[in-house]
Amino acid sequence: MKTREKILHQAREMFNARGIAAVSSRNISEEMGISYGNLCYHFPRKDDIILQLYRDMQTELDLEVANLKAEIFRFDFMVRSLRKMLEVHYRYKFIFLDLSSLSRKFPFIQEHARRQYQFRVAICREIYDFLMQEGYLKMEKKEGHYDKLVHSVLMILNAWIVDSEIYYEGSENKKVDHYLEMIYRFVSSSLTKEGAEAFMKVYLDPPWGEKNEESNLPKPRPQEP
C-alpha cells in the first residue's frame, strides 16, 4: 500500500478500537512510525481522514448495492450481498458508533446519508416486489406495509453495530451471521413457505463457504391457507 492508503488503514483500525475522539492525527503517525508532517502532507486534518474513510465505506456499500440490483433475480445472491454489506459496516464500525455526532459535525455526511437512504429504499422496494412476484413473499395485505418493513430493515442495518458493541456476547467471527439471522427473523413472518425454504437453503449451504449447521433458525412452517 502507498502511504495514503496505509494512513487510512491505520486510522480505521484505531478509530474502531478506541473511538474517534480518543485518536489524534499524531497518534496515527506515531503508531505507523512516520513523521507527523508526512501524515499531514496527505491529510492536513483528522477531519480529512474521517471524511475520506466515510467516502471509502460508501463506495464499498454502493458496489454491493449495485451488485444486488444487477442480480435481483437470484435469491442466493441477495442473501450474500446483504452479508457483505454487514461486513462493510463492521469494517467501518466507528462511523456507525458515532453517526449522529458525525452527521451534525459534517453537513456532507448528513446530506449524503439521506440521499443514500432514499436510493436504498427504492432498491429494497424493487426486491420486495420481485419476491412477491416470484412467490417468496406474501402479497401485501395492507397498503404501505412493505414500505414500513423496508424502513425497519434499513433501521436495523444502521443500528446493529451499536447493538453488537453493547449486547452481543458471542464470538467475533459469528457476529455478522448473528445479525443476518436477526434480519431474517424480522422478515420471516412475511415470507411464504417457498421463501422460507429458499432462505434456509442459502443460509445452511451459503455461497460464501462457511456452513451454518448449528443455526437456531426456525424451520419453514406449512403455508397458511
Side-chain angles (χ1 to χ4, degrees):
M1 290 188 292
K2 295 181 180 179
T3 301
R4 178 183 174 84
E5 284 86 30
K6 289 180 180 178
I7 292 170
L8 291 172
H9 175 78
Q10 185 65 53
R12 177 167 58 81
E13 294 294 311
M14 295 176 71
F15 289 156
N16 281 341
R18 307 180 194 175
I20 295 173
V23 177
S24 67
S25 293
R26 192 173 295 279
N27 293 150
I28 298 168
S29 67
E30 290 172 352
E31 192 72 24
M32 293 179 64
I34 65 173
S35 70
Y36 178 64
N38 190 0
L39 183 143
C40 290
Y41 171 79
H42 295 279
F43 298 100
R45 304 175 304 155
K46 185 174 82 169
D47 286 357
D48 298 319
I49 299 175
I50 295 170
L51 285 171
Q52 186 57 55
L53 286 170
Y54 175 83
R55 293 187 184 98
D56 290 348
M57 180 197 72
Q58 291 296 352
T59 297
E60 292 186 40
L61 287 176
D62 287 346
L63 176 62
E64 294 308 324
V65 172
N67 289 338
L68 190 63
K69 186 175 182 180
E71 297 287 348
I72 196 171
F73 298 108
R74 287 180 53 192
F75 189 83
D76 63 325
F77 197 95
M78 281 190 274
V79 176
R80 179 170 58 183
S81 293
L82 179 58
R83 188 179 195 276
K84 287 185 176 180
M85 289 176 69
L86 292 178
E87 289 173 347
V88 173
H89 287 196
Y90 189 65
R91 282 199 298 275
Y92 294 88
K93 66 179 182 179
F94 76 93
I95 292 176
F96 294 94
L97 292 173
D98 284 301
L99 188 57
S100 179
S101 59
L102 288 175
S103 65
R104 287 196 296 268
K105 182 176 182 179
F106 301 105
F108 163 78
I109 289 181
Q110 185 177 85
E111 181 181 348
H112 186 272
R114 286 176 173 171
R115 287 201 312 270
Q116 292 301 94
Y117 174 79
Q118 293 302 325
F119 174 69
R120 286 163 191 163
V121 164
I123 296 297
C124 286
R125 188 67 221 208
E126 286 186 46
I127 292 170
Y128 276 106
D129 289 343
F130 161 73
L131 292 176
M132 278 192 289
Q133 292 168 11
E134 295 297 307
Y136 291 137
L137 199 66
K138 297 174 184 176
M139 298 303 293
E140 195 171 35
K141 293 182 178 179
K142 184 177 180 181
E143 186 177 355
H145 170 72
Y146 285 129
D147 289 331
K148 291 179 180 178
L149 193 60
V150 166
H151 179 87
S152 299
V153 168
L154 291 175
M155 186 167 60
I156 293 171
L157 285 173
N158 287 327
W160 78 271
I161 288 292
V162 175
D163 185 274
S164 72
E165 288 291 295
I166 301 173
Y167 304 113
Y168 178 74
E169 296 181 347
S171 62
E172 284 296 304
N173 64 342
K174 294 292 185 181
K175 184 178 286 188
V176 167
D177 282 326
H178 174 78
Y179 285 91
L180 178 62
E181 182 175 316
M182 288 185 68
I183 292 173
Y184 165 76
R185 287 181 179 274
F186 183 77
V187 302
S188 61
S189 63
S190 297
L191 294 174
T192 63
K193 179 175 180 290
E194 291 76 13
E197 288 175 346
F199 180 88
M200 288 297 293
K201 182 178 185 300
V202 173
Y203 191 80
L204 295 177
D205 191 16
W208 51 84
E210 183 180 350
K211 291 190 177 184
N212 298 277
E213 296 172 348
E214 299 180 359
S215 171
N216 293 318
L217 284 172
K219 302 304 180 189
R221 293 179 297 179
Q223 178 63 38
E224 298 176 1

